[in-house]
Amino acid sequence: MRVEVLIIGAGPAGTLAGALLQRRGIQVLVLEREQFPRFSIGESLLPQSMEYLEQAGMLKAVDEAGFQIKNGAAFARGEQYTEFDFSDKYSDGWSTTYQVPRARFDHILALEAERQGAEVRYKHEVLAVDLDGACPRVTVRSSEGEEYAVEAGFILDASGFGRVLPRLLQLDKPSNFPVRGALFTHIEDHIPTADFDRNKIRVTVHQENCDVWYWLIPFSNGRCSLGVVAEREFLAHYEGSETARLQSLVAEDRWLHRLLAQARWDTAARSLIGYASNVKSLWGRGYALLGNAGEFLDPIFSSGVTIAFKSASLAAALLPRQIIGGDVDWQREFAVPLKQGIDTFRAFVESWYRGGFQRIIFHPRQPADIRRMIAAVLAGYAWDRSNPYVRETHRRLAALEDLCCQS
């Protein structure tokens, strides 16, 4: 069979791209290895992502789903506590978003892509890709075990951590981040309302190790996502099941342990090791990589879905011109602008793990204008070049870290 655009993966990047292309009159086929709904981690969205949902005609369905509103981010370490309200930020744009169980959220987006005309095939796995012909050709195995071929005018790989094209085309290159891992689960939290702002993600820093941190992401149904991130060697010191290891780590933080004292641990914890990824190029002849299939930094600032949406939006804007034979400079028009925001997030991630960003946000005297600039990046506006902390991220953060060390 022949399609104009083949999308690998029905996660947020794939379904948003599918909806955007359908709205531009381009027929797409989405191949998804799993059956939806399916579990996925990465539940805390950023306000910037709402613009892309609106652009794709998906916002109404997400708004009506009853997800937990998110209006900011809170950070804690021992007795220190600070929070950022996304309504008080430098960049214009959305100030609220949602915290979402990804199984339901991703399924809603997939249904919306189908409603707009995209064909989504679940339990269909891409086995091989051939880029040597006149157009890309992939070999697919269906849910019944039958193999068939698909020719496409262009391929968008939105396969997330499955990283189909990087794996098949040997595009991966080592990340410069240390190998970190995460232990995580969903629990019925029973946190007293007075002790916890459910409108914010809570990031807790380990009291003895500044590069170890916990996330607590509340949902609207009384449950939350709970996880811890650390280097692989640190996590290896904890024994037992994944749940037991996560519980031991939670017990090491007095405040987090108290918040979750009444929690019901009803879902077995999982682990993910070595999640950071990078590629030689975000595009090639006949294909482009979206979201985590291209590059994944770290979960600390919840940037994954926003980067996925940005990549989908950029690609969907270029493909109508590509399909009719127009010239598209994928490096200049896709990779470079996408990497600008990714590199902003990268600088913040690097500052976090060396402890500098933590000194900044817990500093007792924080200029309001700088807080607003930082809040804008935390809200996902990492492509707003009018923000000095986007335009000159490394220099500005380094200077601010030095100031905080001296005062």
Side-chain angles (χ1 to χ4, degrees):
M1 65 177 297
R2 162 85 184 192
V3 296
E4 287 184 296
V5 177
L6 173 66
I7 299 175
I8 305 173
T15 51
L16 189 96
L20 289 171
L21 289 168
Q22 289 290 152
R23 293 167 78 83
R24 291 172 167 88
I26 296 172
Q27 186 62 42
V28 304
L29 170 63
V30 182
L31 300 177
E32 168 55 50
R33 183 180 61 183
E34 306 292 336
Q35 179 64 54
F36 278 26
R38 56 87 177 95
F39 180 86
S40 182
I41 201 69
E43 303 95 342
S44 194
L45 306 182
L46 302 182
Q48 169 80 83
S49 63
M50 304 291 276
E51 296 183 8
Y52 302 117
L53 290 169
E54 188 173 36
Q55 185 184 92
M58 294 173 156
L59 186 57
K60 183 174 183 290
V62 173
D63 283 341
E64 292 176 349
F67 293 126
Q68 172 66 50
I69 291 175
K70 175 185 175 183
N71 63 15
F75 298 88
R77 183 175 186 180
E79 301 297 326
Q80 297 175 300
Y81 179 88
T82 188
E83 60 184 40
F84 289 83
D85 187 331
F86 291 154
S87 66
D88 187 19
K89 67 182 187 308
Y90 176 88
S91 302
D92 294 331
W94 285 82
S95 297
T96 60
T97 184
Y98 294 107
Q99 306 196 120
V100 298
R102 282 285 302 279
R104 185 168 175 230
F105 176 74
D106 290 9
H107 196 198
I108 287 172
L109 298 193
L111 292 173
E112 283 299 296
E114 289 185 280
R115 184 182 64 81
Q116 297 191 41
E119 180 183 356
V120 181
R121 297 182 181 179
Y122 297 103
K123 301 188 73 174
H124 283 239
E125 182 179 7
V126 172
L127 303 177
V129 60
D130 181 359
L131 301 177
D132 292 334
C135 61
R137 179 184 177 92
V138 301
T139 303
V140 185
R141 183 166 55 215
S142 73
S143 56
E144 290 80 27
E146 299 176 353
E147 294 187 8
Y148 63 96
V150 179
E151 291 187 348
F154 201 84
I155 299 174
L156 294 176
D157 184 355
S159 58
F161 289 122
R163 303 176 59 75
V164 171
L165 291 189
R167 176 169 45 82
L168 294 176
L169 300 177
Q170 298 182 326
L171 299 174
D172 279 311
K173 71 175 185 179
S175 169
N176 62 350
F177 289 148
V179 177
R180 297 189 177 96
L183 297 170
F184 51 88
T185 189
H186 287 180
I187 61 175
E188 190 174 304
D189 58 80
H190 294 287
I191 300 174
T193 304
D195 295 342
F196 186 41
D197 183 353
R198 300 192 76 88
N199 291 326
K200 292 178 176 64
I201 181 176
R202 180 186 174 106
V203 173
T204 301
V205 185
H206 193 281
Q207 295 185 48
E208 297 179 3
N209 300 275
C210 72
D211 60 346
V212 178
W213 60 276
Y214 311 80
W215 76 72
L216 190 59
I217 302 171
F219 301 138
S220 59
N221 59 359
R223 299 180 66 78
C224 73
S225 173
L226 170 67
V228 64
V229 172
E231 290 193 22
R232 177 173 53 189
E233 292 76 9
F234 180 90
L235 293 176
H237 291 119
Y238 295 82
E239 298 179 346
S241 67
E242 310 293 49
T243 300
R245 296 166 70 201
L246 180 54
Q247 288 175 326
S248 295
L249 279 155
V250 167
E252 292 183 3
D253 184 87
R254 182 166 63 91
W255 289 98
L256 193 58
H257 182 63
R258 184 175 65 82
L259 280 177
L260 299 175
Q262 303 302 318
R264 187 163 70 92
W265 295 65
D266 56 1
T267 304
R270 307 184 187 200
S271 65
L272 182 63
I273 303 293
Y275 48 73
S277 57
N278 206 344
V279 288
K280 299 170 186 175
S281 176
L282 290 168
W283 64 279
R285 180 176 175 270
Y287 71 87
L289 308 178
L290 307 184
N292 295 354
E295 186 165 353
F296 183 76
L297 300 172
D298 192 90
I300 178 58
F301 298 120
S302 305
S303 60
V305 172
T306 298
I307 292 172
F309 281 168
K310 178 68 174 181
S311 65
S313 178
L314 287 169
L318 297 176
L319 279 171
R321 183 165 20 118
Q322 170 100 10
I323 286 171
I324 63 173
D327 290 332
V328 174
D329 187 334
W330 282 90
Q331 182 63 25
R332 181 178 62 84
E333 299 178 78
F334 175 75
V336 170
L338 180 58
K339 286 282 286 181
Q340 286 177 344
I342 291 175
D343 287 345
T344 296
F345 281 123
R346 180 189 301 279
F348 273 67
V349 169
E350 290 171 344
S351 179
W352 172 270
Y353 281 107
R354 66 175 173 259
F357 188 75
Q358 296 170 40
R359 288 193 293 273
I360 292 170
I361 61 174
F362 291 127
H363 196 276
R365 297 182 301 280
Q366 302 177 15
D369 58 338
I370 293 178
R371 273 187 64 88
R372 284 192 290 270
M373 294 173 188
I374 291 174
V377 176
L378 296 180
Y381 291 89
W383 289 267
D384 179 7
R385 301 283 291 174
S386 72
N387 184 344
Y389 282 82
V390 173
R391 189 174 60 252
E392 302 176 297
T393 314
H394 287 281
R395 187 179 73 81
R396 294 273 180 167
L397 280 177
L400 197 54
E401 288 178 29
D402 288 343
L403 284 173
C404 291
C405 284
Q406 296 168 14
S407 59

